Every structure is written in C-alpha cells, then in structure tokens.
Amino acid sequence: MIVYFDNAATTALEEEVVQAMLPYLTEHYGNPSTLYSLGRTTRAAIEEARKTMAKLINAQPGEITFTSSATEANNTVLKGAVLYAGVERIITSPTEHHCVGHTVEFCRDYLHTEVEYVRVDKNGNADLEHLSQLLAASDKKTLVSLMHANNEIGTMLDIEQAGNICRQYGALFHSDTVQTFAHFPIDVQQLPVDFIVGSAHKFHGPKGIGFLYMRKQSKVASFIHGGGQERGMRAGTENVAGIVGMATAAKKAYDHLEADKAHILSVKNYFKESLLSTLEDIDFNGNTDDRSLYTVLNVSFPPSDKSALLLFLLDLAGICCSGGSACGSGAAAGSHVIQALGKDPDRVSIRFSFSKYNTREEVDIVMEKLKETFASRKE
Ligand code: PLP
C-alpha cells in the first residue's frame, strides 16, 4: 500500500479531469490556429477554458495566458519585466521556489538587474517593514516578487499587505501562487497583484500546463518567440488537452474548496497532534498557526542514527514524502529554504503534504513507522 503524503510536489489526476481531456487527445486533434472546423473546435475549447480560469479569480479572459508550467509563467514575468517593462530592480526573498530564485539570479547576472532580498524570520515570514525600507531607498523601476505560500514549509504571506506596500511605492507586484491557487479563494479585483501564476498538477490536474494572470495595465512580453499564440504572449502550439484539464480541475477544486479544506486540515492537525503526543523532541518548520498552508506540515526531527536515512526508510514502507522541495529532491544540496530559517543543520526536515484523498488511517500508518525510528515520549 502506498501512502501519498507529497501533494505539494504533485497531486493525483482526477478521473473527471481525465474524461474531460480524453476527446482532445483523440478525436479533437485540430491545431487551434487553423480555420477549418477541426481547428475551430479546439480553439473554442481553449477560449472556454480561459473564461473558466478568469472567472475563478475574477479576472478578464484576456488577462490569462496558458503556459507549459508555472516555472514558465514565472520566467515570463521576471524576464519580461526586465526586458520589456523597464524594470531595473527586483526585490524578492531568499525562500522563493528555484524557478523564481534562479530566474532572478539570471536577471542579475545576465541582464544587469539590481537585486535585493527581503529579510525573513525564523518561520520564513517576509519582513514587510524591510520591504518598505527597500522600496523607499530607490527610485528605480522595481518589481517585487514574493510567493503567496512557501511550498516547503507552508508559511503564507499577507499578500494584500505586501501588494499595498508595492502600490504605495509604485512597484509592480508578482506573487507565485502555485501552492494557493485552487486551494484558497483569490480575487484579483480585491488583491493588489499585477501577476500571479498557477500549475494544474498541484490541484489534481495534468502536468505540463500552467497559467499566468497578468493585470491588463501591467504588460510584459514573451521571452519565447515564434507564432502568435496566446495573443503573442506565448508562442507554440497550445496544449489543448492540458488546458481543458486544468480548467476542469480548477473548477472542481473551487466548487469543493471549503469542504476539502476542512478535511485536509483535520488530517494535518491529527498528524501534528499525533507527532507531538507520541514522539520526543518534535519541532515544525514554518508557521504553525493559520498563516500556514493547510496542505503542508514540515516536521523537524531530532538527529538520530537512523534519521539521515529517514526518507529512504519511509520509501521502503511505501510512504511518499519529501526532504525539502520535491523539485530539488535527489540533489545533494540541502534545502535553501530550511537554510534561510537558520535552523539547526543536524535536525532532519521532512515535508508531509496532504490532499482530499488522505485519511487519518494513513497518518496512523506513518506514525507506526516513525515510532520505529525515533524515541517515544516518556509519560
Ligand atoms: N512555484 C512553486 C511554489 C512550486 O511549488 C512549484 C512546483 O513545485 C513551482 C513554482 C513550479 O511549478 P511547475 O511544476 O508548474 O513548473
């Protein structure tokens, strides 16, 4: 039996989503840029999906661009802002996903962009006082990029406050919302954001499809050149089945958002309480209050002779979870996020992340395995 506690890395594809995608993998194969009926069918499906995605976040359809991933959407914003929107300075944090962090480094090293980092506290909260100070210190056209929720530790940004600060100083504001889109309501008419992104495989949709929301007034241009797809924002023949699948998955997630949230949070809290009441010297990385993703619990285990092998031991028992970001798992370097928190490097951090399909029984299975590895609490 597999216990899948790695839903921040990716989620299982929903059957309803597969069914919605199937016709676009079989009979509806027309290129959406063609004018005959086969092409018009796929064009119509794309535009319907765009409307669905826009409606969910209260945007206009023309503000949604489909991309191959959130990685590509984030690259489009950051590189596009520097190359085409006159941005000379980027302010970000040390705990961003690598697709933001490394892209910002690229802008610094190859496009000569000035880069500043907002301080984060020991739970990964961005210091918004510091953000104000950094913004006040320069007149250069600035883009601020701060993720809505950290994928490794779950810490959430006060996105509204951060956006208001950016507005106050006339800076563009980009937020990587990969871990929050389709998990929390987002209304771009209320939130002062210029760019947000999403990735279908984080909410039971297919892999290889993402989207960029770009406020109408905040135009950047594509760094991928070719055909005129996506109104010139993203060249390349569209992934029609992926787009249809993403919109179906997003709609379903929004329809059940509150019920799914309540269930997932109860699984997370049950796990948290089981860990604290059963094992000695357990700590957590990131916020433990409601400024945290209900889907993520990053546990810090005490050093022990077996702890270095923990992921391996859990894997042998059929338990899937991550040491830090999944995108970096397998890499020898430790997590840049955990490092930025200044935590004891000898402790072992494991991210457990949950979906609507997880149960308390699965938590019990994981707890049994953990009890074999770590000392139990003495009553
Ligand atoms: N941003 C965050 C916060 C993520 O968690 C991920 C995926 O792990 C990404 C970006 C990249 O998304 P994609 O897999 O669509 O490239």
Side-chain angles (χ1 to χ4, degrees):
M1 183 193 165
I2 292 282
V3 174
Y4 188 73
F5 275 2
D6 204 15
N7 291 279
T10 198
T11 53
L13 193 58
E14 190 123 29
E15 180 55 28
E16 199 178 313
V17 174
V18 177
Q19 291 309 321
M21 291 171 72
L22 265 180
Y24 298 94
L25 293 165
T26 52
E27 74 247 48
H28 302 317
Y29 55 82
N31 186 322
S33 297
T34 56
L35 296 177
Y36 41 79
S37 65
L38 214 55
R40 290 200 304 274
T41 305
T42 47
R43 163 65 47 215
I46 291 174
E47 296 317 320
E48 200 47 46
R50 198 187 310 283
K51 275 193 223 153
T52 302
M53 297 298 290
K55 197 165 167 216
L56 293 174
I57 57 169
N58 203 10
Q60 293 170 22
E63 295 174 312
I64 303 291
T65 301
F66 294 121
T67 59
S68 68
S69 58
T71 295
E72 186 193 316
N74 283 332
N75 269 262
T76 303
V77 174
L78 295 161
K79 292 176 183 163
V82 173
L83 289 169
Y84 309 111
V87 163
E88 298 170 285
R89 190 168 73 129
I90 297 176
I91 301 177
T92 187
S93 85
T95 53
E96 299 297 309
H97 189 274
H98 281 320
C99 70
V100 168
H102 289 337
T103 308
V104 170
E105 287 162 14
F106 172 86
C107 293
R108 180 193 63 202
D109 297 344
Y110 294 95
L111 306 177
H112 315 295
T113 314
E114 194 180 312
V115 176
E116 301 274 8
Y117 291 90
V118 171
R119 282 192 295 265
V120 295
D121 70 12
K122 64 180 189 350
N123 288 324
N125 296 294
D127 179 344
L128 297 183
E129 248 332 285
H130 189 216
L131 174 63
S132 297
Q133 287 162 15
L134 291 171
L135 283 165
S138 168
D139 288 335
K140 284 188 177 165
K141 180 150 185 187
T142 300
L143 173 99
V144 173
S145 179
L146 293 175
M147 68 204 309
H148 191 192
N150 187 280
N151 50 300
E152 290 190 37
I153 57 173
T155 291
M156 290 183 72
L157 173 76
D158 185 336
I159 189 171
E160 191 167 358
Q161 198 189 343
N164 282 331
I165 294 171
C166 294
R167 286 273 185 279
Q168 190 186 334
Y169 291 94
L172 290 169
F173 182 40
H174 162 239
S175 188
D176 176 346
T177 48
V178 165
Q179 296 290 343
T180 52
F181 173 76
H183 296 277
F184 292 84
I186 292 180
D187 180 343
V188 295
Q189 301 312 318
Q190 302 300 323
L191 281 187
V193 289
D194 295 297
F195 310 97
I196 63 169
V197 305
S199 180
H201 71 102
K202 308 291 186 181
F203 49 90
H204 305 290
K207 294 169 184 60
I209 185 72
F211 79 92
L212 162 63
Y213 158 78
M214 178 166 63
R215 194 174 289 283
K216 216 162 52 192
Q217 301 85 346
S218 323
K219 281 261 180 275
V220 301
S222 174
F223 71 102
I224 294 180
H225 302 286
Q229 291 92 347
E230 296 296 288
R231 302 164 323 283
M233 270 307 296
R234 201 275 176 180
T237 302
E238 299 90 336
N239 173 1
V240 184
I243 290 169
V244 169
M246 176 162 66
T248 308
K251 170 89 175 50
K252 175 110 197 254
Y254 266 82
D255 284 347
H256 301 272
L257 207 100
E258 287 310 319
D260 289 347
K261 177 180 174 179
H263 171 74
I264 297 167
L265 189 58
S266 82
V267 171
K268 172 179 164 169
N269 285 338
Y270 178 64
F271 191 23
K272 201 161 111 187
E273 282 149 24
S274 303
L275 283 162
L276 288 172
S277 61
T278 313
L279 302 179
E280 268 195 345
D281 193 12
I282 289 297
D283 197 3
F284 300 103
N285 297 310
N287 290 335
T288 47
D289 54 19
D290 59 2
R291 293 170 307 152
S292 171
L293 288 173
Y294 54 86
T295 44
V296 169
L297 186 64
N298 192 307
V299 187
S300 165
F301 293 98
S304 86
D305 50 350
K306 287 196 206 151
S307 58
L309 290 173
L310 185 55
L311 271 182
F312 178 66
L313 294 171
L314 292 171
D315 180 27
L316 278 182
I319 298 162
C320 306
C321 51
S322 253
S325 168
C327 308
S329 66
S335 151
H336 67 289
V337 176
I338 303 297
Q339 271 174 32
L341 307 183
K343 294 278 184 120
D344 176 355
D346 290 333
R347 293 182 69 91
V348 178
S349 295
I350 304 274
R351 176 188 70 183
F352 299 92
S353 51
F354 315 101
S355 82
K356 60 185 176 181
Y357 296 124
N358 291 128
T359 61
R360 288 177 174 223
E361 288 69 36
E362 290 177 318
V363 169
D364 293 339
I365 293 170
V366 177
M367 282 307 303
E368 279 311 308
K369 197 68 211 163
L370 292 173
K371 274 195 262 178
E372 290 172 19
T373 312
F374 295 102
S376 291
R377 277 174 70 93
K378 294 170 192 65
E379 294 309 325

